[in-house]
Structure formats: C-alpha cells, structure tokens
Amino acid sequence: MNSMRHDTRLDPFVEHYSARAQGLRVSAVRALFAVANRPEIVSLAGGMPNIKDLPLDEISDHIARMIRDHGMQVMQYGSGQGEPRIREQICEVMAEESSVADPDDITITAGSQQALDLVTRIFCDPGDVILAESPSYVGALGTFQSYQAEVVHVACDGDGLIPEAITETASRLREQGKRIKFLYTIPNFNNPSGVTQPVERRRRIIECCADAGVLVVEDNPYGLLTLDADPLPAMRSLDPSVIYLGSFSKTFAPGFRVGWVCAPHGVREKLVLAQESATLCPPVFSQFAISDYLENSDWRGQIRVFRDMYRVRRDTMLATLEREMPEGCSWTRPAGGFFVWVTLPEGLDASAMLPRGVNARVAFVPGPAFFADGQGSRNVRLSYCFPPPDRIAMGVERFAQVVRGELEILKTFGMHTPSHTNPTTGPGPDLT
C-alpha cells in the first residue's frame, strides 16, 4: 500500500513563494483579453495600438537587409545600457517635446513597462510610498504592488494632479512616519483618464515635489500622439532631474518591446546595473530594427499618419457618447492618446455591469482597476485606439444600452434619482 499522501492543493508550491510573489496580481485589462478577442465582441477595453498604417513592406525590406548585412552584430549580445546609435536617436525623438537629453543618460529597456519595474526596483523598499494620480495606469499599480510599495493617490481635476494636494498629501504622510520615494505621473493624455496637464500646472507640480523632497517620474508613452495641437514640453524639459520614461510601442510598434529611461547620471548607473542583472542586455535585434526605421523612414510623417487615424477614432467615440449616453453620465475629452474616462450616474457599479456588457457584446474596463484603494466604482475606461470607427460607434451604442438598462433596474426598484450632470461638460474637480 502506498503510504504517501496525495497533495490536493491547487498549487503545491504555495508555501515556498516569497512575500513579494504574493503581491503579484492579474491585470484587470489582461484578464479581459480572452473575452474581448471574440469576434462578436466590440472591445473598447485594451490599449492596443493600431499598426495597420505602418509601411510593413518597407520595414520588412529594411529588416531583411539589416540581417543580411549586419546579422552577426544584430543577433548577438549587446550593451546593458543599450546600443549607442539608438540612444542618440532617442535624444532626437525627445527633442520633439523640447527635452534636451544626452545619449549617456539613456538606458534602453524592454518597453516602458520594464522601465517602470527597474525604477521601482532601485528606489523602493517594502512599505515605501509612491504617489500617483487618481486614477493611474493599471500596469504601474501592479508593478508598485509587486515591490510591496504603498500607492497613495493624489487628487486630480480636469487639468490633472492638483499641486496643493501633492503638498498636503506629502505632509500628511511624513507626519505618519512614512517614506515617499517618488511621484508617478502620466502628464500627457493620462491612462486611463485622458487628461493632460497644462504647462503651468507641470511647473507647479515639479515645484511642489521639490519642496517636499519627492522625485518625479514622468511616464510619457503618448506625448507625440497629440490630436489637436503641437506636442507640449515634457516635464523633463522643465527640470532635468525628472526621471523620464519613453516607449516606441505607441509611435512605432509594441512587438519590438523597446522603451527607455532618461535619468540623471547616478540614477542611470543604478538602472544599468539593474538591467544587467535582469536581462544582461535589452533586446539587441529590436534596437537595431527600430534604429534602422528611424534612420531610413519618415518617422515624423508616420506619427502624423497615426495622429490623423486616431483623431477620427476619438471623434467618433465622443460623438457617439454625446448621442447615446443617458442623462447623468459625463466623460473626459482627451486631446490625444487612446482613452476616454466615463463617470456613471450615482447608484451604478461598473464592475457589476461588466458581465452584462459582455452579454451585450461590448467589453470595457471598470474603474477600480486603476486605483490601489478601491475607488472608481462609477468609472469606466473606454479605448478608441484599435477598432475602426464603425466598430467604435457600435461598441459605444451597446455600452450606452447597458447603462440605460442598469438605470431602468434602479428606477424600477426606486434606488436611483437621475442627476442633472451635463455630459458635455466633462468631469468636475474630482475625476474619481
């Protein structure tokens, strides 16, 4: 008789994981992918860039030539900091937003998501505090949580972070004996809110952080995808001590997984060491492929093509929201980027609505995914970047139908009195 006990636990290794591993969580956006990718579903959930307008034949020819002529170099190990030529070219890209950078201050990463991970790794110990917008990028929140940092949201209005709220929050946390390591912000077309900080607001935020002794980490994947005007100066252009995260995922293609950090010399040294311990070197082939694209293609013209394409999609979403959404709803009107942030009438719960949305063949992301503290129950992020305009209109119509259905249920049971928010005015001072 076999006397060995059969382990019936779903994961027999559960007792062996580190405390840090216990903090890993499934992304609410990634969890939707299996459903959202079904052909009958209109997905307004993911932030997947639309790359159909890239000159794929031209890019293919360039990559084939690159392999033929330089294959022994582009398919070999490389520098932990990243290849010199692409770091020079990144400085040219950053100059489009008035930021003067030195190639030696650039560290290449596997997308800006790894940049977030490395920055958090070198600055944060368990229990340290990171300040973040309210709401904030779900991928950043997951990274911060994985390093056992505490995220504290700072109040926002229609112009982004409120400077006085940074000062008040930092003072309150210090009185509690907590260590604030940095402020994380997406100043251009915030993910998920779509809100953009005006230049003067950026100056005030930097000043308030300097007074409070708090570093600023600027995440800027969407800055060049402005839809109504020229790009605004990056926060780093106003203060070179700002740690800047960039990416080619939105302005070229996400599959290459190339991003970067631009940071002061001492921080850069730590980033390179962290990069080498994580990957030895960032993806060399991808760096050369993007460098070749920047060298031999009209990348500025391609960004203009992307802007025109996304503008049509954004305008379609906003027009359909205006036409279809019931009274009591409001939403942001982004000047670029990928997302619209919807606030639902009182009494509605976005997470509870999601299964009914999927049943109505539309996917969206409920607001609580973008908060570390449970806020956002009345909020929804809608993405206009990937579906064609007719599908966007169809998806918003289905979403509005779900909202109307929820309001009817509340009305039937006497649980809801419609507010008189004018949906054309966008959000009030509190974006949550």
Side-chain angles (χ1 to χ4, degrees):
M1 180 176 178
N2 188 347
S3 62
M4 292 183 64
R5 295 181 58 191
H6 178 62
D7 194 334
T8 59
R9 293 175 298 178
L10 290 176
D11 184 354
F13 301 97
V14 66
E15 295 174 355
H16 300 275
Y17 294 127
S18 67
R20 176 169 291 170
Q22 306 299 331
L24 298 174
R25 294 290 183 269
V26 175
S27 163
V29 179
R30 297 288 175 188
L32 278 170
F33 271 19
V35 171
N37 286 337
R38 284 159 42 186
E40 72 273 18
I41 301 286
V42 177
S43 177
L44 305 178
M48 193 159 58
N50 190 314
I51 59 174
K52 73 176 184 62
D53 290 331
L54 281 172
L56 296 181
D57 290 343
E58 175 186 326
I59 293 168
S60 175
D61 291 342
H62 287 169
I63 290 178
R65 176 181 46 76
M66 181 182 76
I67 294 173
R68 184 181 64 247
D69 296 345
H70 306 288
M72 294 296 289
Q73 180 182 10
V74 305
M75 292 191 289
Q76 187 55 271
Y77 286 121
S79 163
Q81 185 176 357
E83 298 306 307
R85 179 55 184 142
I86 195 171
R87 289 191 279 114
E88 294 172 357
Q89 292 166 312
I90 283 170
C91 294
E92 298 174 22
V93 173
M94 291 180 64
E96 296 290 304
E97 295 174 279
S98 306
S99 191
V100 178
D102 188 292
D104 195 46
D105 293 331
I106 305 293
T107 302
I108 304 298
T109 58
S112 61
Q113 187 66 36
Q114 193 205 20
L116 266 173
D117 186 275
L118 295 180
V119 167
T120 310
R121 179 178 171 185
I122 68 171
F123 280 112
C124 291
D125 293 313
D128 286 344
V129 173
I130 297 171
L131 303 182
E133 284 150 328
S134 179
S136 189
Y137 168 48
V138 62
L141 298 181
T143 296
F144 301 154
Q145 187 175 45
S146 76
Y147 283 96
Q148 300 171 288
E150 178 187 356
V151 176
V152 175
H153 291 286
V154 178
C156 296
D157 61 17
D159 285 334
L161 285 160
I162 300 172
E164 294 75 16
I166 295 174
T167 301
E168 186 279 327
T169 302
S171 176
R172 171 171 51 83
L173 291 169
R174 291 260 163 70
E175 289 176 0
Q176 296 172 2
K178 296 186 176 182
R179 295 196 307 173
I180 305 170
K181 285 303 179 73
F182 57 81
L183 168 75
Y184 170 74
T185 179
I186 304 176
N188 291 308
F189 327 124
N190 172 273
N191 178 3
S193 73
V195 167
T196 297
Q197 299 167 10
V199 174
E200 188 52 40
R201 176 67 64 93
R202 299 177 190 211
R203 295 186 197 277
R204 290 285 298 121
I205 290 168
I206 291 170
E207 290 170 0
C208 289
C209 286
D211 291 343
V214 175
L215 299 172
V216 176
V217 176
E218 174 185 16
D219 194 359
N220 189 34
Y222 310 102
L224 293 180
L225 295 178
T226 176
L227 305 182
D228 299 321
D230 292 333
L232 290 174
M235 295 181 81
R236 188 192 173 279
S237 74
L238 307 175
D239 182 353
S241 70
V242 170
I243 297 171
Y244 177 100
L245 314 184
S247 174
F248 289 106
S249 292
K250 310 303 188 294
T251 55
F252 182 44
F256 287 100
R257 308 309 301 131
V258 173
W260 70 90
V261 185
C262 183
H265 180 78
V267 177
R268 189 263 293 164
E269 286 289 297
K270 292 289 192 296
L271 287 169
V272 172
L273 292 174
Q275 171 71 282
E276 289 174 341
S277 71
T279 65
L280 293 183
C281 63
V284 175
F285 185 89
S286 293
Q287 292 178 70
F288 275 99
I290 292 181
S291 179
D292 188 275
Y293 169 75
L294 295 172
E295 189 80 46
N296 297 300
S297 300
D298 181 13
W299 61 270
R300 293 180 178 85
Q302 184 61 50
I303 289 174
R304 289 193 293 271
V305 170
F306 284 147
R307 287 175 183 166
D308 292 341
M309 178 263 294
Y310 288 131
R311 185 181 305 110
V312 172
R313 284 162 163 73
R314 179 206 58 182
D315 292 349
T316 298
M317 176 168 282
L318 293 178
T320 312
L321 286 167
E322 187 75 47
R323 184 177 69 247
E324 298 292 335
M325 292 297 285
E327 183 181 2
C329 299
S330 62
W331 51 89
T332 56
R333 284 159 174 76
F338 287 178
F339 306 109
V340 172
W341 185 244
V342 177
T343 301
L344 302 170
E346 292 183 14
L348 296 194
D349 186 302
S351 298
M353 277 175 47
L354 182 57
R356 290 182 274 276
V358 172
N359 191 54
R361 294 170 298 155
V362 61
F364 52 84
V365 186
F370 304 97
F371 294 91
D373 56 9
Q375 298 182 62
S377 61
R378 289 173 52 206
N379 294 111
V380 168
R381 189 191 76 175
L382 300 180
S383 170
Y384 54 79
C385 53
F386 191 74
D390 61 329
R391 295 277 287 177
I392 291 173
M394 182 187 300
V396 173
E397 289 166 1
R398 292 175 179 176
F399 173 70
Q401 182 180 7
V402 172
V403 175
R404 286 194 295 270
E406 295 293 295
L407 290 173
E408 283 298 316
I409 292 172
L410 292 181
K411 183 178 178 182
T412 299
F413 291 96
M415 299 167 62
H416 174 66
T417 302
S419 65
H420 296 285
T421 302
N422 180 355
T424 65
T425 62
D430 183 2
L431 285 176
T432 66

